[in-house]
Amino acid sequence: DGDHYNVIALFGDGALTGGMMYEAMNDAGHSKIPLILILNDNTMSISKNVGAVAKHLRNLRISRHYFYAKNIIENSLNHIPIVGIHIINRLKKIKRAVRRLVIPGTMFDDLGFKYMGPVDGHDLDALISAFDFAKAEKTPVFIHVQTKKGKGYAPAEKHPARFHGAEPFDVATGVPVKKKTKANYTDIFSTVMVKL
């Protein structure tokens, strides 16, 4: 609508290993820009993620049923003339207070975002519900979407790292079309690093 806009940024969990991401989130959270960040968390950034941020993401647990129920209640209350919006605002304040007592805040909450997740990235209804919630907000929202790398394609599910930056391959088998004849930069760099 004319009152606010949403900017949407989709990024992978590997982006959370760089400082620029946190600078951008810090600025957006502080300025309260209606930004929707969608994290595609497939637990892989070429290799399995490790460290404090990866651990934090693994520990976050909020049921998607919460968002379904919340949207149903808010939609119902919105249809009550005059007082509906006041009831919604009061319930939001109560919910925030109770949530802070029961569920520790996430680092994304601390950066000024409303955190949602984790959401099953392969459940279209759950995604639509999360996106509907996010676009109605007038503040920054962080949607944590969990996916399985290569889901639905057996060769990629079995060897996800091989398909991270794939060269042409046979779709039926997942085997590269051309056999590798010379080392690329990554091959050389990794060999030298292992030797060192």
Side-chain angles (χ1 to χ4, degrees):
D1 62 35
D3 296 333
H4 77 284
Y5 61 93
N6 291 107
V7 173
I8 300 169
L10 174 65
F11 63 98
D13 46 334
L16 292 175
T17 61
M20 267 199 288
M21 188 72 195
Y22 297 100
E23 279 189 55
M25 285 192 294
N26 185 49
D27 182 62
H30 174 74
S31 58
K32 301 296 181 207
I33 295 167
L35 170 69
I36 299 172
L37 291 184
I38 303 170
L39 165 64
N40 176 28
D41 177 9
N42 59 17
T43 69
M44 286 193 67
S45 306
I46 300 179
S47 299
K48 188 170 179 64
N49 283 325
V50 296
V53 174
K55 183 178 179 185
H56 186 72
L57 292 176
R58 283 192 303 271
N59 291 335
L60 296 174
R61 294 289 177 267
I62 297 174
S63 169
R64 66 184 171 142
H65 301 294
Y66 163 80
F67 296 108
Y68 287 139
K70 182 182 182 304
N71 284 341
I72 290 168
I73 291 167
E74 281 189 11
N75 288 337
S76 299
L77 290 173
N78 269 328
H79 289 90
I80 300 173
I82 303 168
V83 297
I85 191 68
H86 298 295
I87 295 170
I88 289 172
N89 289 336
R90 178 66 56 165
L91 287 173
K92 281 182 180 179
K93 287 179 184 175
I94 292 168
K95 179 207 67 141
R96 279 188 214 112
V98 170
R99 183 175 179 222
R100 284 286 181 188
L101 289 172
V102 178
I103 303 170
T106 69
M107 62 186 263
F108 308 111
D109 292 314
D110 294 339
L111 285 167
F113 283 77
K114 287 187 178 178
Y115 172 82
M116 296 179 59
V119 178
D120 180 352
H122 303 292
D123 180 340
L124 192 56
D125 290 333
L127 287 171
I128 290 170
S129 179
F131 297 154
D132 284 344
F133 170 84
K135 74 180 181 181
E137 292 298 310
K138 295 180 173 73
T139 59
V141 178
F142 188 99
I143 303 174
H144 179 184
V145 177
Q146 287 185 316
T147 58
K148 180 177 181 181
K149 194 166 187 76
K151 183 166 175 74
Y153 181 55
E157 284 186 25
K158 189 172 180 181
H159 303 286
R162 187 189 318 159
F163 287 87
H164 192 79
E167 296 178 12
F169 59 90
D170 177 42
V171 176
T173 64
V175 175
V177 173
K178 290 183 183 177
K179 198 167 191 172
K180 200 182 237 187
T181 57
K182 62 182 184 175
N184 61 26
Y185 175 81
T186 303
D187 296 330
I188 295 166
F189 181 81
S190 60
T191 302
V192 170
M193 291 304 293
V194 168
K195 285 180 181 176
L196 291 174

